[in-house]
């Protein structure tokens, strides 16, 4: 594991600190956008992103792979997958769209600060 070189207590304290700040950090974002409307095209994009997340989880995630290979309880292992998702072969968002800009930022990291 990539954290084996650190003090376990230090890692635990970091985890507790992170968990204790989730609501304060994420709550305002949810509050600001909870009533936002969305288009069918935006919903389709969300479903495609969820599909990629499910793909990553099933193909690459060490915890998921370990659970499946060691006869873990399948329902529990797959519980983190989205309820609905979508897959399209070789999908490319429209150039200049927010979706295309998002993918470009993912593939070409930027110094946002």
């Amino acid at each position: 594991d990539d954290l084996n070189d650190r003090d376990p207590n230090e890692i635990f304290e970091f985890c507790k600190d992170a968990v204790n700040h989730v609501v304060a950090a994420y709550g305002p974002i949810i509050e600001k956008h909870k009533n936002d409307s969305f288009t069918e095209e935006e919903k389709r994009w969300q479903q495609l992103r969820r599909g990629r997340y499910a793909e990553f989880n099933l193909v690459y995630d060490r915890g998921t792979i370990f659970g499946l290979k060691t006869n873990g309880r399948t329902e529990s292992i797959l519980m983190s997958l989205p309820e609905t998702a979508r897959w399209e072969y070789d999908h490319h968002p429209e150039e200049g769209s927010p979706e295309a800009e998002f993918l470009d930022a993912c593939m070409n990291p930027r110094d946002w600060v």
Side-chain angles (χ1 to χ4, degrees), residues 33-44 46:
H33 295 286
K34 69 180 181 182
N35 295 316
D36 287 1
S37 60
F38 55 87
T39 66
E40 284 302 313
E41 186 61 27
E42 289 168 330
K43 184 64 177 178
R44 182 173 163 262
Q46 179 192 48

Side-chain angles (χ1 to χ4, degrees), residues 59-73:
V59 176
Y60 300 107
D61 182 75
R62 290 186 302 173
T64 302
I65 293 168
F66 174 81
L68 293 171
K69 286 184 176 180
T70 58
N71 294 322
R73 187 168 176 262

Side-chain angles (χ1 to χ4, degrees), residues 40-102:
E40 284 302 313
E41 186 61 27
E42 289 168 330
K43 184 64 177 178
R44 182 173 163 262
W45 174 253
Q46 179 192 48
Q47 296 294 299
L48 287 168
R49 299 321 310 152
R50 287 177 173 183
R52 293 307 302 261
Y53 169 78
E55 175 187 338
F56 170 84
N57 227 356
L58 294 170
V59 176
Y60 300 107
D61 182 75
R62 290 186 302 173
T64 302
I65 293 168
F66 174 81
L68 293 171
K69 286 184 176 180
T70 58
N71 294 322
R73 187 168 176 262
T74 304
E75 294 86 352
S76 298
I77 296 164
L78 300 179
M79 199 58 131
S80 69
L81 294 177
E83 184 177 1
T84 60
R86 180 183 180 98
W87 287 265
E88 290 182 16
Y89 180 75
D90 199 28
H91 175 77
H92 296 279
E94 183 181 328
E95 280 192 45
S97 69
E99 295 80 7
E101 290 177 23
F102 169 76

Side-chain angles (χ1 to χ4, degrees), residues 98 100-113:
E101 290 177 23
F102 169 76
L103 284 183
D104 184 62
C106 290
M107 292 189 259
N108 302 292
R110 297 170 171 106
D111 183 1
W112 297 100
V113 178

Side-chain angles (χ1 to χ4, degrees), residues 13-24:
E13 289 304 316
F14 170 79
C15 291
K16 287 194 303 186
D17 188 52
V19 167
N20 288 331
H21 288 87
V22 168
V23 173

